[in-house]
Amino acid sequence: MFCDKLISRFSIQKQIMIGFLPVLCVLIFLGLSSQINMKNYKENFDFLKSATEEGGHFDEIQKDMLALQRHVLVYSYTGYRGILKKIEYLQSDIEAEFEIILPMAQTDDDIYDRTKRIYNHYMDHKKGFSEAVQRRTNLNKLKKDRLGPLYDEAEGILDGISGEYRDRGDFKRAYFTEETEEKLLNIRLNTLKYELSNDRGYINSINAEMEAIREQVRAITTEYEPRVPQPDQFDEFLKVADEFETVLNDVIHVNSIYIQLVNVVLPGKVAEIDKLIDELEILHDERYYGITQNLSSRIFNAQHNFTWLTIIAGLLGVLGSFFIARGIAIAVRDMSQTLSILASGVWDTDIPGRERRDEVGSMARAAQEFSNMVEKIERQSREIEDNRIMLSNTLENIVDGLITIDQAGNILTYNKACFNIFGYTAEEVIGQNVKILMPDPYRAEHDGYLTAYHDTGVGQVIGIGREVQGLRKNGEIFPLELSVSRVELDKGLIFCGIVRDITEMKKAQDELVNANSELEEFAYRTSHDLRSPLVSSLGLLSLGRDAIQSDNKEEALLSIDHVERSLEKLEVLVRDILSLTQIRNAEEDEVLVDVAQAIDNARSALSHMDNADRLGFILDLQYEEPLRVKESRFVLLLENLISNAIKYQNKDEEKPYVSIKTLREDSRFILIISDNGMGIPKKFQEDLFSMFKRFHPKVSFGSGLGMYMMKKSVGIMGGEIEYIDLGEGSGAMFKVTLPIK
């Protein structure tokens, strides 16, 4: 206890230093010992480095000698003088390596002796190669300056003799003279072959050919009939042939010496060099092994000493650390337990160690102050966190979009409702300028609004709400209700915007306006069209009653017939009104419909109509898959289009027809129905799909609701219908586009 109190008067750093004083003494001794070992290692490593460099130079010499042998062989077989420059470079490199390695090799007598012998053999090889080059040069000179001209001269003489014989008409001697030329050519070819192969058999062939030439000349000049004076050139040819033979023998002699040098002398020197290099490699390996063994032994001894000294230092360090750490550890343990109690939220705990004079005591006193402060901060933090969570959840889950931006227009926050409105995630827009959510002209004008507000303090939308346009991620522009307010913070001014997508509201408003307009027209036209047949029928019934009373049966029947037709028109109108009501109100599931079968069913259902049998059908059904649609609306569409083609035929056409074509364009189903009937006049096409529009009332009675019902049905199925003008008197064409699902 006394030691703990005494040591606790010092700082922890000094306490640790006191505990490690014995270790420091051992480490100083270990450092001195390592210094001595490092000196010995350096000597061994320098020796090893020298041996390694020496081996590297020997490798370079061996590599250059191999390259030199290859180039010498190439020169000996080809005589290519261009390679002599490479040989000179290699000789220079080899001699430079010897200048470096000879002084290095003097540290070992055996290595120096073999290195010196390699150098001497190399110099003999260099001298022998120089002599071979000179012999080759002399050989080429003999062939070029003497042998070649003599051959050309002899060949020219024989050509002259042969020509002279042909001029005389002595073709036999001319033939044998030309044969002599061939033998001369064989001598030249055998000379070249001998130079390439050094085969003495070619020399025998050359001698035989020379003897054959002399015999041939003797026979030409003395034996063949008729015996006539022979050309003087034969004597000249024989002199040239004798001189040619003499020079040829010189060439053979020089070539033999050259071959002896390149095939025997030089390879012998190379063999001696290779043998000595192999011996050197063995000596180098033995020397290198000895050095490494000595170095390994010293390293092992040093490691052994270092290990024991380290163990001693470690034991002293452990003992010193134990006594020092014990005093610190007890205080730190008590402090740790106290801090754990504080971390659990018990702030009225007594903190021990505050009386210590070291860092542990300072930490204990600081912990007491921290405990008091944390208790206060924790209470405030809980209040702040509750408020933050409540505010965050409220803003994140409100129905309207909430966006905040800084003074530069960059987006700071962006809630979930904004994702549903614009299609961008928060990660995609935060940090971006808010202009990405605006179409033109708002995009171009927005920076100007912010600048003007910054300069003047007057805002055009701040504090008020107004309708603007937004831009979705997919490029769609939609109506938006925007309210902007300003918020002043310590770090600067921000703007808070609440946005609401009013697309559906605007659409509902437009649909309501259209529905009211259609309802007004529907009410007016329905009351008119229902009342007209009834009034007409009442009048006709009155006439019929009068006719019956006056016993005018024929007039009574005529009145009844007119009443019947008026009531039929009324029945058609009522039926169409009921169908329209069903279209507007009925809910229907989509099913798979066989398009070809549906067309065939529609034709069958309408076959009873007047003049239906006159109409020819042209079918081009390229779309063969089932189509998912609302079946009753699809059937209504087909029957209305086909029945119109039947009702409004052109009576002047000899071959009236209706064409039905189906096809697929990308993900859309296309239905095109056209005919060569009466068509629709240009002036009526603008109101084609309006209610109660009849374009040929004199041809066939209708309610005027058919085109309107087709338009509504196609719209409910998510498609479009359009009329294509074919020109006056050319018929009608309708194109229906539906999505393929």
Side-chain angles (χ1 to χ4, degrees), residues 110-329:
D110 290 335
I111 293 176
Y112 179 74
D113 175 64
R114 284 166 177 76
T115 304
K116 189 68 176 176
R117 286 164 61 189
I118 290 172
Y119 177 73
N120 293 335
H121 282 303
Y122 161 74
M123 294 305 295
D124 291 342
H125 181 279
K126 180 179 179 182
K127 181 178 178 181
F129 179 70
S130 298
E131 184 179 353
V133 171
Q134 185 60 45
R135 292 288 183 180
R136 183 87 184 212
T137 303
N138 294 340
L139 181 64
N140 292 336
K141 186 173 179 63
L142 276 173
K143 290 191 292 183
K144 179 180 178 182
D145 296 344
R146 298 189 62 191
L147 191 64
L150 287 172
Y151 175 81
D152 294 338
E153 184 179 357
E155 188 178 33
I157 293 171
L158 290 176
D159 284 342
I161 294 171
S162 176
E164 185 175 339
Y165 279 135
R166 283 194 298 271
D167 292 341
R168 293 181 184 179
D170 192 346
F171 294 107
K172 182 177 181 181
R173 284 187 173 88
Y175 168 75
F176 285 115
T177 302
E178 291 171 357
E179 192 176 69
T180 303
E181 285 187 62
E182 291 179 5
K183 295 181 183 301
L184 186 63
L185 178 60
N186 288 336
I187 289 173
R188 189 166 194 176
L189 292 175
N190 287 331
T191 302
L192 293 175
K193 292 177 181 178
Y194 170 70
E195 290 178 17
L196 294 175
S197 66
N198 198 33
D199 185 355
R200 296 196 63 83
Y202 290 114
I203 295 176
N204 297 331
S205 298
I206 291 169
N207 292 332
E209 292 288 354
M210 288 298 298
E211 187 61 33
I213 287 173
R214 288 191 179 89
E215 183 62 26
Q216 186 83 350
V217 170
R218 185 190 63 76
I220 291 171
T221 55
T222 60
E223 294 181 3
Y224 299 136
E225 295 296 337
R227 296 177 180 270
V228 293
Q230 303 305 318
D232 296 334
Q233 291 96 323
F234 271 122
D235 294 336
E236 185 180 354
F237 170 74
L238 291 175
K239 290 179 181 179
V240 171
D242 291 340
E243 187 177 357
F244 179 82
E245 185 175 13
T246 301
V247 174
L248 183 60
N249 289 330
D250 292 342
V251 168
I252 292 170
H253 175 70
V254 173
N255 190 69
S256 298
I257 296 172
Y258 170 75
I259 294 299
Q260 177 71 17
L261 284 170
V262 297
N263 286 352
V264 179
V265 176
L266 294 182
K269 292 297 179 184
V270 170
E272 287 292 331
I273 291 171
D274 290 341
K275 178 182 177 183
L276 289 170
I277 287 176
D278 291 340
E279 293 177 2
L280 270 176
E281 286 182 352
I282 295 172
L283 290 173
H284 268 287
D285 290 342
E286 292 174 352
R287 184 183 181 191
Y288 189 84
Y289 178 75
I291 295 171
T292 54
Q293 285 294 105
N294 183 37
L295 185 60
S296 298
S297 176
R298 290 190 176 187
I299 291 173
F300 174 78
N301 292 332
Q303 287 176 337
H304 183 74
N305 295 333
F306 181 82
T307 301
W308 278 109
L309 289 173
T310 302
I311 292 172
I312 293 171
L315 290 174
L316 291 174
V318 168
L319 292 173
S321 300
F322 173 76
F323 288 111
I324 297 298
R326 179 176 171 273
I328 299 173

Side-chain angles (χ1 to χ4, degrees), residues 429-446:
V429 298
I430 289 178
Q432 300 287 331
N433 194 286
V434 73
K435 291 188 295 185
I436 67 170
L437 307 178
M438 303 176 183
D440 287 328
Y442 303 100
R443 183 195 297 263
E445 297 170 351
H446 186 259

Side-chain angles (χ1 to χ4, degrees), residues 32 71 98 288 408 462 505 724:
L32 294 174
H71 292 326
F98 272 118
Y288 189 84
I462 294 175
M505 184 180 75
I724 300 173

